[in-house]
Amino acid sequence: MSGKAMTDGAAPMVVITGMSGSGKSLALNALEDLGYYCVDNLPGGLLAGLVAETRSRPERYPRVAIGIDARTGDDGLERLVGLLDGLPHPSEFRLLFLEAQTAVIARRFSETRRRHPLADVGGLETAIADERRLLAPLRERADWIIDTSETNIHQLRRQVLRQVGQGDFGGIQTLVLESFGFKNGVPLDVDFVFDARCLPNPHWIAELRPRTGLDSEVRDWLESHDRVEAFHDDVLGFIQRWLPALAEDQRSLLTIAIGCTGGQHRSVYLVDRMATAMAANARRVIVSHRELER
């Protein structure tokens, strides 16, 4: 992942482009969660009109993200490059470019059984090579480049929020709460990790073992233990206590992971309960239960 430093805050308009199969739609969805008005697969010839429309109605479109890819063709991409190069205020635009290794892209298309948009002539590897060539001028102008070869959908989402959302509003606007199981490893892209393995484990209760921390039977059992309540209150209090100080560090996203042994009961319950408490403060909260989503 690479990018140019931003000194004037996040731009009101972001163009997302890059290789097919690299995660552009996921990136666009992440920006939508940040309050961006998103348009996907916009033909390059319509970009100038959209820019004029959004500039004339800033109250309706305070932040805009546009997805453009090679399907727009040589002419559309040339128009986009010309528009970016001719902007009187380049800082009003930011360009996010997503890419991945050829073998990874080929595998993704094979797994999803989707057709590459440039696969009319030649095989898949030829289409990928043609796309790299078409998009090279945009890659050179990118403010952020994210290689998604070793990135899952949740990691990509957080990278986009960190990179593009940096400085967007001032202060932490999005809080990601993730549950996980230590037996599958600690998530790499998190800010804080809390270990809930010290708490009573529903796994050892036969009727609770097949359930999850989202089920009422598990919640009731956990809430009957004072240690669980104390753990919840302490972690939630830590988050609420230090959010203002962390916001001063020029970050708009904070990721907190809570783990237990298998990521099925205790951590899921704690993340779900804390997310409800944090959302009550009108904060944008994203919940991820890693093991339940596998």
Side-chain angles (χ1 to χ4, degrees):
M1 178 172 58
S2 63
K4 293 181 284 187
M6 291 180 61
T7 59
D8 54 351
M13 183 168 289
V14 175
V15 174
I16 299 178
T17 188
M19 301 295 295
S20 299
S22 62
K24 296 189 300 296
S25 295
L26 293 172
L28 210 59
N29 291 338
L31 292 189
E32 192 168 34
D33 286 339
L34 274 182
Y36 280 74
Y37 180 87
C38 296
V39 180
D40 196 8
N41 193 24
L42 182 75
L46 301 180
L47 182 59
L50 179 61
V51 171
E53 167 68 13
T54 57
R55 291 292 183 265
S56 67
R57 301 177 63 189
E59 73 288 347
R60 174 68 177 84
Y61 307 104
R63 290 172 301 277
V64 178
I66 303 167
I68 295 178
D69 57 38
R71 286 173 291 181
T72 193
D74 288 331
D75 181 61
L77 293 175
E78 288 176 1
R79 291 186 185 185
L80 174 56
V81 170
L83 178 63
L84 294 175
D85 289 346
L87 286 173
H89 303 290
S91 63
E92 294 182 0
F93 258 89
R94 287 292 184 265
L95 182 62
L96 169 63
F97 191 95
L98 301 182
E99 62 184 4
Q101 298 170 6
T102 297
V104 173
I105 293 176
R107 186 185 72 242
R108 289 172 181 172
F109 274 97
S110 176
E111 291 174 347
T112 60
R113 299 184 179 180
R114 294 185 59 204
R115 176 182 172 278
H116 192 282
L118 300 183
D120 291 331
V121 179
L124 179 57
E125 290 192 8
T126 299
I128 295 172
D130 288 343
E131 188 173 40
R132 287 195 194 279
R133 175 184 56 79
L134 283 172
L135 297 176
L138 290 178
R139 190 184 189 280
E140 294 175 357
R141 291 162 174 78
D143 297 280
W144 308 281
I145 299 174
I146 298 179
D147 188 325
T148 69
S149 299
E150 303 296 330
T151 302
N152 63 37
I153 59 175
H154 308 296
Q155 293 167 338
L156 173 58
R157 183 184 187 87
R158 287 191 283 270
Q159 285 186 19
V160 171
L161 291 174
R162 280 196 177 94
Q163 293 296 305
V164 182
Q166 183 72 21
D168 209 14
F169 306 91
I172 294 172
Q173 298 299 312
T174 303
L175 179 67
V176 177
L177 295 173
E178 178 178 4
S179 68
F180 72 95
F182 276 96
K183 70 177 184 180
N184 293 320
V186 178
L188 299 178
D189 55 338
V190 297
D191 298 299
F192 293 96
V193 175
F194 294 94
D195 188 347
R197 289 176 293 183
C198 60
L199 302 180
N201 192 353
H203 174 81
W204 302 115
I205 308 298
E207 59 269 27
L208 299 181
R209 184 173 302 171
R211 300 187 179 278
T212 76
L214 301 177
D215 293 317
S216 59
E217 297 88 345
V218 174
R219 292 200 304 268
D220 293 343
W221 187 87
L222 287 170
E223 289 174 2
S224 68
H225 293 79
D226 292 341
R227 179 175 289 188
V228 174
E229 290 296 295
F231 186 97
H232 168 271
D233 292 347
D234 285 348
V235 173
L236 181 61
F238 173 88
I239 297 171
Q240 294 174 327
R241 167 68 177 82
W242 288 103
L243 272 178
L246 292 166
E248 295 175 2
D249 193 32
Q250 297 300 311
R251 65 175 76 199
S252 61
L253 173 81
L254 183 71
T255 303
I256 296 172
I258 301 177
C260 58
T261 304
Q264 180 180 341
H265 297 108
R266 294 165 290 182
S267 61
V268 171
Y269 159 77
L270 289 165
V271 162
D272 189 64
R273 183 174 172 185
M274 290 180 191
T276 300
M278 297 304 297
N281 295 327
R283 191 175 303 278
R284 184 180 292 109
V285 179
I286 297 174
V287 173
S288 173
H289 298 301
R290 190 184 73 178
E291 314 309 343
L292 301 187
E293 294 165 356
R294 288 181 181 271

